[in-house]
Structure formats: structure tokens, C-alpha cells
Amino acid sequence: MQIEVGRLHLQWEIEAQERRGYKITQCDAEALRAIVRNAYSEKQGARRMRNAAREAVQEAVRDALLSGREAVGRLDYNSHRKAFFLNGQK
């Protein structure tokens, strides 16, 4: 159930970024699991899911732009760095 809630919030944030001109084509399964893991707690349930999805997508877009790359591609998650990024595939 949490995965579906996370997927929904992630899709909303991807659509919001597309309206800003960034092309995020899809989400890696590991990235979605990381969003759910970061957002879900027994005490508060999935209340932070929207914020976690927004933070993940915005982190990836910000890092791409600061690196001088185009904010385009699939949202991925690097578990060693604990960071979200865009892999650049269109």
C-alpha cells in the first residue's frame, strides 16, 4: 500500500517538474522504495510521503542543474551516497 501512495505522490511531483520544463521520464524501483522508506513511520503513517517525493525529485533536478547538466532522465537512487539523481537518459 505504501508503494502505491509513494508512486502517486511521485507522479504528481514529476508532473509539476514537467510544467517547469524538466523531463523526468520515469522512476527507478529502488528510488521509489527509498522514498517510501524515508517517508513512512509507524507513528505517522504515510503523512510525509508527499514531502519525501517532492524532496527526492527536487534534489535530483537541483543536482543536475548545479552540475551543468540538463534536468532530463530517469529518477534513480544511489544507496551508497543516499542521494537521488537523474541518470540523463531521455
Side-chain angles (χ1 to χ4, degrees):
M1 179 65 169
Q2 292 94 3
I3 290 289
E4 291 306 314
V5 172
R7 187 183 324 273
L8 181 63
H9 284 295
L10 185 59
Q11 186 58 41
W12 288 339
E13 184 58 33
I14 287 172
E15 289 170 4
Q17 293 300 322
E18 285 179 353
R19 288 190 295 275
R20 292 178 180 99
Y22 307 121
K23 301 292 181 205
I24 302 168
T25 56
Q26 56 185 325
C27 175
D28 179 52
E30 181 59 30
L32 180 58
R33 284 192 297 271
I35 290 168
V36 171
R37 216 176 18 252
N38 292 341
Y40 184 78
S41 75
E42 288 294 322
K43 187 174 183 179
Q44 293 188 355
R47 288 187 179 129
R48 280 204 13 85
M49 199 73 69
R50 181 182 60 210
N51 290 340
R54 182 175 56 238
E55 290 166 6
V57 173
Q58 289 178 354
E59 173 186 330
V61 168
R62 180 186 63 238
D63 289 348
L65 295 175
L66 288 174
S67 298
R69 295 187 324 267
E70 193 176 7
V72 172
R74 183 181 68 209
L75 181 68
D76 283 341
Y77 180 72
N78 183 322
S79 59
H80 297 295
R81 290 183 35 223
K82 297 188 184 328
F84 294 92
F85 65 97
L86 296 176
N87 72 359
Q89 295 177 353
K90 294 185 179 184

